[in-house]
């Protein structure tokens, strides 16, 4: 398991880029499409980075489909979750942005945990953390209060195991 409290405690390098990530990757590196940048929003959110090496960038655009997602980058360019198989290329292609990279094998695999929620940056203060393991393990006392929240359909993360996809979805406050 990869611990987010350790990942987010790493200090990113200063961003030396003088162009947006989407502008850089789409116009200069090519074969990329960055969704979520622009629109004047200053609020923290995640950018979705798509990549397709097989297109002709002069005549075709990268399709925004799940199969082409290679990274999720914080809107302030501090952090990025990157598919392990694309890490070296993405690191090279975004070298001037100073971000901290966390390679993951798959965005849907529950490979993340957060042992120290108190160490997370302010951007994650809106996340509701519920250890829901009591629902699958009869040896853990049933938590009626947590179950009530879960039953009401609130978005939450289990600090012991969650995926990047679930984290991204939960961060949409």
């Amino acid at each position: 398991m990869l611990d987010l409290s350790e990942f987010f405690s790493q200090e990113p390098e200063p961003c030396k880029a003088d162009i947006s990530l989407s502008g850089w990757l789409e116009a200069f590196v090519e074969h990329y499409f960055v969704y979520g940048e622009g629109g004047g929003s200053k609020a923290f959110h995640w950018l979705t980075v798509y990549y397709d090496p097989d297109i002709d960038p002069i005549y075709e655009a990268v399709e925004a489909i799940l199969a082409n997602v290679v990274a999720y980058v914080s809107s302030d360019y501090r952090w990025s979750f990157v598919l392990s198989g694309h890490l070296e290329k993405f690191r090279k292609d975004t070298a001037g942005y100073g971000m901290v990279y966390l390679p993951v094998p798959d965005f849907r695999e529950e490979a993340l945990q957060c042992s120290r929620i108190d160490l997370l940056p302010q951007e994650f203060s809106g996340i509701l953390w519920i250890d829901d393991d009591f629902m699958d393990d009869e040896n853990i006392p049933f938590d009626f209060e947590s179950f009530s929240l879960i039953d009401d359909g609130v978005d939450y993360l289990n600090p012991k195991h969650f995926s990047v996809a679930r984290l991204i979805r939960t961060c949409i406050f």
Side-chain angles (χ1 to χ4, degrees), residues 115-160:
S115 61
R116 295 284 315 269
I117 295 165
D118 59 311
L119 294 179
L120 292 179
Q122 177 65 31
E123 292 86 350
F124 301 92
S125 63
I127 295 175
L128 178 60
W129 298 91
I130 299 175
D131 181 351
D132 63 3
D133 290 348
F134 68 90
M135 295 193 320
D136 297 321
D137 187 341
E138 60 191 42
N139 296 320
I140 300 173
F142 195 84
D143 184 340
F144 289 96
E145 186 177 323
S146 293
F147 181 76
S148 178
L149 290 169
I150 295 166
D151 196 40
D152 287 343
V154 298
D155 270 340
Y156 70 94
L157 292 178
N158 183 328
K160 294 181 181 175

Side-chain angles (χ1 to χ4, degrees), residues 16-17 19 22 47-48 61 66 80 85-86 88 95 98-99 102 117-118 126 137-138 149 155 167:
K16 297 175 184 145
I19 185 173
S22 59
L47 309 174
T48 306
L66 196 55
S80 63
H86 198 76
E88 290 311 311
M99 56 184 102
L102 182 64
I117 295 165
D118 59 311
D137 187 341
E138 60 191 42
L149 290 169
D155 270 340
L167 173 67

Side-chain angles (χ1 to χ4, degrees), residues 23-105:
W24 174 253
L25 290 176
E26 293 172 18
F28 294 100
V29 178
E30 299 180 334
H31 299 276
Y32 283 98
F33 170 63
V34 179
Y35 176 80
E37 197 157 53
S41 174
K42 299 281 186 205
F44 177 85
H45 60 280
W46 292 95
L47 309 174
T48 306
V49 181
Y50 300 87
Y51 178 76
D52 186 348
D54 298 325
I55 64 159
D56 181 342
I58 294 176
Y59 301 106
E60 300 173 288
V62 175
E63 243 185 308
I65 58 173
L66 196 55
N68 288 342
V69 176
V70 295
Y72 291 97
V73 176
S74 62
S75 56
D76 57 8
Y77 309 148
R78 288 167 45 191
W79 308 293
S80 63
F81 296 102
V82 185
L83 288 179
S84 302
H86 198 76
L87 178 64
E88 290 311 311
K89 174 159 183 40
F90 192 71
R91 190 186 305 249
K92 180 178 159 262
D93 291 343
T94 59
Y97 290 85
M99 56 184 102
V100 177
Y101 304 88
L102 182 64
V104 294

